[in-house]
Structures are given as C-alpha cells and as structure tokens.
Amino acid sequence: MNEPPKMNEPIIVIDDDETMRRACRAALRRTGYQVETYADGPSGLKRIEEVRPGVLIVDLKMPGMSGMEVIAQLKAMDTDTVIVVITGFATVGTAVEAMKAGAYDFIPKPFTAEELRAIIARAVERYHLSTEAKRLRAEKEHQTRKFITFVSHQLQSPLGAVRQYLDVMLHQMGDDTPVKQREWIDRSRRKIGLMLEIIADWLTLSKVEGGQLATERTLVRWQDLVVKTLDGLEISAQEKQVTLRNEVPDGLPAVVGDESALRMLLANLVNNAIKYNRDGGRVTVAAKASSVDQTVALSVSDTGVGIAPEQQPHVFEEFYRVKNGSTEGTSGTGMGLPICKKIAEELDGRITLSSEPGRGSTFTVVLPRDPKEKTPDEHGEVPQLGGA
Ligand SMILES: Nc1ncnc2c1ncn2[C@@H]1O[C@H](COP(=O)(O)OP(=O)(O)OP(=O)(O)O)[C@@H](O)[C@H]1O
Ligand SMILES: [Mg+2]
C-alpha cells in the first residue's frame, strides 16, 4: 500500500452503528490519522465546530438527525472539511443527492478496510488542495491590498499639491476671470478632494487591519466625543435640515479604547445618519451601560431611508453601497462602515445594525467599559454578601 497522505486535522466518523464506528476507527488508526467517532449527528456536529476536522465520514441513514441534515449544517459552517458518506445497499440515489449537497465521495456498505483507506486518502488529498487554494487566494488578496496601499500612499502628496495650486489659482483670479473658468477650476478642486478622501479612507482601513490604528487603550468618555462630533457636523446637518440630538447620559462610565479611533468611528456613523436621512429628519445619539457584561452600548439612530434586511449584512463589507435612491447623489465609497467594524473589533467590541426600510436605522457600538466606574443606579445597588 502507498504511504497515506499526512494530515494534522482529525477525521470524524458519525454513524449510529457501533460495529461500523469500530471498524472505521480500526481501519484508519493504522494510517496514523486521529480518528474520533460519534453515534449521532448533534454530538458529531458539536465536535466538528470545535476541531474543524479535515474529513468527515457520515452515515446517511441514522435515526434522529439524518446524514443529509449533518451535511447541510456542516455546509453552513466556515470549514474546509471534506465529506465522505456511507451508504447502504441500493441507496445510490441518496449518495447522488448527498454529493449534490456537497459531499465529495461515497462508500457503499459493506466495504473493506482497504477500500475505506483508499477513499480517505483521496479525501485527505482533496482537503489539502482546497486549504492550499484558500491560502493562495488569501495571499493574492494580501499582495493586492499591499499594492493598492502603496499606490494610494504615493498619490497622496502629488494630489494634495495639485489641490493646493488650484486653491491658490482660485484665490488669485480677478473679477475679469470668465465665470466658466472659475467653475472648472472649482470642479477640479472638488474632484481631487474626493480622490483624496478615498485615499485617506483606504489608508485608514489598512492601518486598522495592520493593527496600527486603534493602538491606545485609555479610558474614553463618549460624552465628550459626542459633543465634539455633533458640533463638527452641525453644518452638514443644517444643510439637510436634520436635527442632531445628544441623549448620552452624564453618569455614563468611560469605555476602554483608543480616542482618535473612536472619534473616527462616531464621525462615520453620524455622518451616515445625516447623509442617508430625509430632509427635516433627526439623528439621535444615545448610550447605556450594562453591568451584566461590563459594556457600554452607544447607538446612533436616524429617521432616514433605512436598509432592507437582505442588504444589512453587506453594508459592513468594503466598497458596498446600497443601490437605491439613498446613495444617488451622495458621495461615498463604501469604506466608512468597514472602518467602523474593524475599529470596534480591534477594541474587543462589536457593531450591530437594526433598521426598518422607510423608517430609519440604528447602529450600535458595544465596547468594554471601565470596570471601576459605576453608573448612578449601580451606586444604589445592594452590596454583595461577603464583600469587603
Ligand atoms: N444610516 C444609514 N441609513 C441608511 N443607509 C445607510 C446608513 N449608513 C450606511 N448606509 C448604507 O450603507 C452603505 C455603506 O456605508 P459606508 O459608510 O460604508 O459607505 P458610504 O457612506 O457609502 O461611503 P463612505 O463612508 O466611504 O464615504 C452606504 O452606501 C448606504 O447605502
Ligand atoms: Mg459612510
């Protein structure tokens, strides 16, 4: 027999038949693989989630959860596990179904140890091929991103210089300059401004990814950041006749984070809430501390267009913009929310969205809070027995 391909990840066998489990274990142990066996779908799937096996061998016909259900649940997980199904006599039809659902191969009962080993050797090869392909894709993506970052960096200063020259030209234009000329220069200046914004966003994104952006861990007061951010965005809000409301309570505990990263996050959320609002709408920033999981949740709500449920998971993806009336005529590249998400995650927090089309959206950022500080209500709590 040829040397079987090596694999560090275990092989998991799910079969309700004890003899079958024992036979698989015996046949495969000799090849040096780690083999674990389970008698039913739920316990096997639980283990699959924990160990991410290289290969799963699953019996299609089992009481309770069927092999097909196991396959369906495995496919919903983010794993490269290669599936081999065990089929009984005269169930070739089901084997075909299983392969359509994502199984790689099948082995009909009864089978010899030799047959099982041959099929598993192929499945292991297949596993290596798909993980290698995944690694190469990730590497390619990484190189592409590095290149874009490099080019963006290189473009930043010449574009900045051109914008400055255009600024000077605009200022020096006398009253005798034709209106058209002035307009062209002004338009060029704006276009360059947009390009610089895209570049700045991209560079911010790669900084957060590289762990170079949210680097500080100090106590940050949302109260202060909210006041400053709302002040800074008052003019754009007025242009849309949007009212900005600050409902962050005074006694809110500080969060543990990086102030400049959090300022950027908040500005992005409030900016969106204004940009995708209706004329005359409202933006409300509120916050609440939780003593259950020691966090502070800050929310930015608007009365704008909202986001349809099927679009919601995508708005945190790079360059994604919802295609409806809301983004027409508003400038943007779809990098704001991915930046927010990465900042929140970098700071051991998370960002969530709830939205109702036509009524508005609420983005909530949950971050770890200062463990020492209590809210006014928490001060009133009954002291714990046995405390100091
Ligand atoms: N408050 C909101 N209400 C409705 N839609 C929103 C809201 N915030 C974001 N969106 C939708 O999500 C998309 C992605 O938002 P994101 O902030 O990432 O990008 P952007 O605003 O288009 O551009 P950028 O922030 O890079 O200037 C937006 O294009 C918009 O379609
Ligand atoms: Mg945005």
Side-chain angles (χ1 to χ4, degrees), residues 46-59:
K46 189 165 162 275
R47 188 65 182 149
I48 288 173
E49 248 190 318
E50 288 161 8
V51 296
R52 313 267 146 176
V55 178
L56 164 71
I57 305 173
V58 60
D59 184 11

Side-chain angles (χ1 to χ4, degrees), residues 126-144:
R126 167 65 186 233
Y127 173 70
H128 290 319
L129 278 178
S130 63
T131 48
E132 181 60 9
K134 202 175 186 182
R135 196 189 62 76
L136 287 174
R137 273 198 303 277
E139 172 66 12
K140 185 164 167 259
E141 157 133 9
H142 177 70
Q143 292 301 340
T144 312

Side-chain angles (χ1 to χ4, degrees), residues 95-388:
V96 172
E97 281 305 303
M99 287 170 76
K100 275 193 200 148
Y104 165 67
D105 208 346
F106 69 97
I107 180 159
K109 277 192 270 198
F111 50 83
T112 64
E114 209 49 51
E115 282 164 348
L116 180 68
R117 282 197 287 265
I119 283 189
I120 296 310
R122 281 210 306 277
V124 170
E125 301 274 17
R126 167 65 186 233
Y127 173 70
H128 290 319
L129 278 178
S130 63
T131 48
E132 181 60 9
K134 202 175 186 182
R135 196 189 62 76
L136 287 174
R137 273 198 303 277
E139 172 66 12
K140 185 164 167 259
E141 157 133 9
H142 177 70
Q143 292 301 340
T144 312
R145 296 180 79 94
K146 244 171 85 179
F147 177 69
I148 302 176
T149 306
F150 172 76
V151 174
S152 307
H153 231 284
Q154 298 300 100
L155 287 177
Q156 212 175 19
S157 14
L159 281 176
V162 173
R163 185 167 62 172
Q164 271 179 0
Y165 284 125
L166 293 174
D167 273 343
V168 174
M169 274 170 83
L170 261 183
H171 273 100
Q172 290 185 346
M173 279 178 166
D175 293 338
D176 52 341
T177 313
V179 176
K180 276 275 171 230
Q181 259 180 41
R182 190 187 287 273
E183 202 184 298
W184 290 334
I185 301 264
D186 190 43
R187 249 195 243 172
S188 315
R189 216 180 111 263
R190 279 170 204 263
K191 297 261 180 222
I192 289 183
L194 282 180
M195 279 192 235
L196 283 166
E197 264 175 40
I198 296 175
I199 289 177
D201 274 356
W202 179 266
L203 293 177
T204 305
L205 202 60
S206 38
K207 265 196 198 152
V208 209
E209 265 166 7
Q212 298 158 293
L213 188 90
T215 49
E216 303 275 328
R217 291 295 177 275
T218 54
L219 295 179
V220 182
R221 298 214 159 268
W222 273 129
Q223 294 89 315
D224 305 342
L225 286 192
V226 171
V227 169
K228 283 185 203 147
T229 305
L230 295 187
D231 274 354
L233 290 169
E234 189 55 51
I235 295 181
S236 22
Q238 274 170 14
E239 278 169 10
K240 261 192 94 116
Q241 289 141 23
V242 166
T243 322
L244 303 180
R245 271 206 212 156
N246 179 357
E247 289 183 0
V248 178
D250 281 339
L252 189 75
V255 292
V256 185
D258 178 299
E259 180 159 349
S260 63
L262 289 179
R263 182 174 305 178
M264 196 178 280
L265 187 160
L266 181 64
N268 262 308
L269 292 183
V270 179
N271 219 335
N272 280 348
I274 298 171
K275 205 157 71 162
Y276 304 111
N277 219 315
R278 57 177 162 80
D279 287 350
R282 205 171 50 239
V283 174
T284 310
V285 185
K288 204 168 179 264
S290 155
S291 46
V292 181
D293 59 356
Q294 293 300 314
T295 55
V296 166
L298 174 116
S299 61
V300 178
S301 314
D302 62 61
T303 53
V305 286
I307 303 167
E310 64 277 13
Q311 311 259 18
Q312 291 180 18
H314 298 296
V315 295
F316 295 102
E317 290 166 10
E318 285 160 24
F319 309 118
Y320 188 88
R321 303 194 78 207
V322 177
K323 281 178 202 62
N324 58 20
S326 67
T327 48
E328 277 162 29
T330 58
S331 69
T333 41
M335 275 189 273
L337 288 176
I339 290 176
C340 294
K341 182 165 186 261
K342 290 201 169 113
I343 290 177
E345 287 170 0
E346 183 69 25
L347 296 172
D348 299 320
R350 61 183 187 275
I351 181 165
T352 55
L353 159 64
S354 75
S355 182
E356 213 181 305
R359 296 189 71 99
S361 314
T362 298
F363 286 85
T364 306
V365 188
V366 181
L367 287 169
R369 61 183 265 196
D370 175 8
K372 292 195 217 69
E373 208 177 331
K374 295 227 179 307
T375 64
D377 336 337
E378 286 166 351
H379 277 298
E381 277 172 5
V382 183
Q384 290 201 337
L385 288 178

Side-chain angles (χ1 to χ4, degrees), residues 34-49:
Q34 294 173 57
V35 183
E36 293 182 22
T37 59
Y38 295 89
D40 58 76
S43 58
L45 279 168
K46 189 165 162 275
R47 188 65 182 149
I48 288 173
E49 248 190 318

